[in-house]
Amino acid sequence: MKSARTESAEPGSERVVRRRPRNRRAQIAATSAAAFGALGYHGVSMEEIAAKVGISSAALYRHYPSKYSLFREELLRLGQITVDAVTLPAEAESWSAEARLRYVIDALIAQAVTNRPTVTLARWEGRYLDDEDGKTLTDQFATSITALRRLIAAVRPGLSKRDEFVRAVAILSIVSSIGDHHAALPTKSLAVLLASACWTAVHAVLPTFAESPVAQPSTDPPTPFKHQLLLAKAVELFHERGYPNVSVEDIAAAADLAAASAVYRYYRSKSDLLTAAFRRAADQVADAIGPVIASSATPSAALTELIELYVAGSFAERELTFVYYTEFSHVPAEDRVVLRNIQRLSVAEWGKLLVAVRSDLSAAQARILVHAAFGLVVDLGRALGDGRHGCPQDAVARLMRVILFDTASQPPGVRK
């Protein structure tokens, strides 16, 4: 009997030598980042990442000790490239204020396009970082916001600090909105469109930000039906903790039910509650379109009213709006298809109205601007919060209108 060594040495036989790629660690990081971008932190396992890379789980653990370490690396990388994008080169000292801001906006757009599959990870999944890493990520974005505020202040002297902040958040929101959808446009055209929308946000005339008392809830709100109460409590908990960290028992307790089994009288599962929340949010947007178009004299009037309704609905149910953006990967696959179709229909109808108002836009460009306008609402709500220091509803609606209606080319005469 021949040994394996002898057989492999026979003339004419080919010996396959497997070598570990030099960039294996980078390959793992890129693969895991794409998986996190598509499915969120809790939707991905180390075994799935290993399979996508084509290695064993044991080999993966030799490079990274845990899924969290992969997740952390990608989020802090995204935070750092945002800081890098708002950092001016030494030669910028001789540039005009407009040129400096243009440089930064273009850099932010370039990094967002390059990292489109994961660009929104830090926004929606950052809450799953531990306290120390979460603070690092928060500090990175605070640094970016501060840099943008200073650049905006140089272009628009006389703005209040809050006005500067709102515009800085709007720029980051517009740029990163391309990670929330798959609408396609050639890279150069996409960059021009996003830059134009960012400049519009910078130059927008917004309502005065007046300090106002926090609205007090009604002393005797109507008592909701049990299924409505369960849905409302579930959304609150999903918003506060994240869907994976909420149990049916938690929802039952929040709704003052004696046992978790009582939830199943109204909803088949926790995922059924999430699907119901998504359907509620999607239907609120979709159901408004037909009646508004039918009652409006012009596409411009229809789109203006739809903006007002969208902002009002988002302000009324902030938690639902946030959950709609953050938890989609946890919706069951069969329900996801239906929800995506409803969303696409709504965006397409908004896009048709926008193209009717602005003949300079293609359907694809209009869809991208609609997504950017939608994202502004949740991003400004998250950045400024509720109450006295929140972004007023009329200011958010105004920003949506100018992003959609008034997007203009970069200021003439801007040169480095």
Side-chain angles (χ1 to χ4, degrees):
M1 180 182 293
K2 298 177 182 178
S3 67
R5 181 187 297 273
T6 304
E7 286 184 348
S8 64
E10 283 189 353
S13 66
E14 294 184 2
R15 183 181 179 186
V16 178
V17 180
R18 297 184 181 275
R19 292 187 175 89
R20 182 184 301 171
R22 293 182 179 180
N23 66 338
R24 176 69 82 196
R25 186 178 174 86
Q27 182 187 16
I28 292 169
T31 301
S32 64
F36 291 138
L39 300 172
Y41 175 60
H42 289 92
V44 180
S45 70
M46 289 290 271
E47 289 72 22
E48 289 167 334
I49 294 170
K52 289 177 183 293
V53 178
I55 60 177
S56 68
S57 296
L60 176 57
Y61 280 105
R62 284 198 292 270
H63 292 277
Y64 289 92
S66 66
K67 182 177 75 167
Y68 180 82
S69 64
L70 279 162
F71 178 68
R72 171 191 181 277
E73 181 171 296
E74 178 60 14
L75 263 65
L76 297 188
R77 182 189 73 85
L78 291 169
Q80 186 56 50
I81 63 175
T82 303
V83 173
D84 294 342
V86 300
T87 303
L88 292 166
E91 60 267 28
E93 290 184 8
S94 63
W95 299 349
S96 67
E98 288 83 2
R100 293 191 192 102
L101 183 54
R102 184 178 66 170
Y103 175 92
V104 165
I105 288 174
D106 289 348
L108 287 168
I109 291 170
Q111 64 95 347
V113 171
T114 300
N115 296 277
R116 187 171 182 177
T118 61
V119 71
T120 60
L121 258 185
R123 204 153 121 224
W124 307 129
E125 300 283 298
R127 57 186 167 159
Y128 298 125
L129 290 173
D130 64 28
D131 290 344
E132 183 178 352
D133 293 332
K135 183 180 184 305
T136 299
L137 184 66
T138 299
D139 290 345
Q140 287 172 329
F141 280 98
T143 298
S144 302
I145 289 287
T146 298
L148 278 169
R149 283 180 59 179
R150 289 171 179 166
L151 292 166
I152 292 167
V155 172
R156 294 283 312 273
L159 290 178
S160 69
K161 296 296 184 184
R162 191 174 353 178
D163 262 321
E164 296 167 5
F165 184 83
V166 166
R167 286 164 170 78
V169 171
I171 288 173
L172 291 181
S173 177
I174 290 164
V175 169
S176 62
S177 67
I178 60 171
D180 292 326
H181 60 85
H182 301 287
L185 203 63
T187 300
K188 185 175 180 180
S189 299
L190 177 61
V192 170
L193 183 68
L194 293 175
S196 182
C198 289
W199 280 105
T200 299
V202 170
H203 289 287
V205 177
L206 300 179
T208 302
F209 281 41
E211 294 286 350
S212 56
V214 179
Q216 297 298 320
S218 171
T219 54
D220 295 306
T223 302
F225 290 115
K226 189 61 70 177
H227 72 285
Q228 295 171 324
L229 177 62
L230 281 167
L231 185 58
K233 294 300 180 181
V235 168
E236 288 177 9
L237 290 171
F238 296 156
H239 171 258
E240 179 185 344
R241 305 179 193 175
Y243 176 82
N245 298 326
V246 176
S247 67
V248 173
E249 289 76 12
D250 294 331
I251 297 168
D256 291 327
L257 295 181
S261 58
V263 174
Y264 301 117
R265 299 174 190 166
Y266 307 96
Y267 297 94
R268 293 169 296 180
S269 62
K270 185 177 76 164
S271 64
D272 199 31
L273 273 159
L274 184 64
T275 299
F278 268 78
R279 188 59 187 256
R280 176 184 174 90
D283 285 345
Q284 282 179 348
V285 177
D287 291 349
I289 295 172
V292 167
I293 291 176
S295 63
S296 300
T298 64
S300 177
L303 198 50
T304 297
E305 184 172 351
L306 286 174
I307 289 169
E308 297 292 338
L309 290 173
Y310 183 84
V311 173
S314 297
F315 268 65
E317 298 189 83
R318 287 180 183 271
E319 293 88 355
L320 179 60
T321 303
F322 181 80
V323 168
Y324 187 80
Y325 271 84
T326 56
E327 305 295 354
F328 191 74
S329 63
H330 298 294
V331 174
E334 62 274 17
D335 297 316
R336 221 178 295 161
V337 172
V338 174
L339 289 165
R340 280 198 187 280
N341 287 336
I342 296 173
Q343 184 195 53
R344 286 177 183 143
L345 176 63
S346 297
V347 171
E349 291 300 317
W350 277 57
K352 287 178 186 177
L353 291 170
L354 183 54
V355 169
V357 175
R358 294 185 52 194
S359 59
D360 60 303
L361 293 177
S362 67
Q365 289 173 317
R367 287 195 298 272
I368 288 167
L369 286 179
V370 169
H371 279 293
F374 283 170
L376 275 175
V377 181
V378 67
D379 283 332
L380 287 170
R382 290 177 65 238
L384 286 141
D386 301 327
R388 293 173 61 86
H389 301 291
C391 191
Q393 187 170 321
D394 57 347
V396 175
R398 171 63 182 161
L399 263 177
M400 284 189 75
R401 288 197 298 273
V402 298
I403 294 303
L404 293 176
F405 292 157
D406 303 333
T407 304
S409 61
Q410 296 184 29
V414 174
R415 296 289 184 270
K416 293 182 182 178

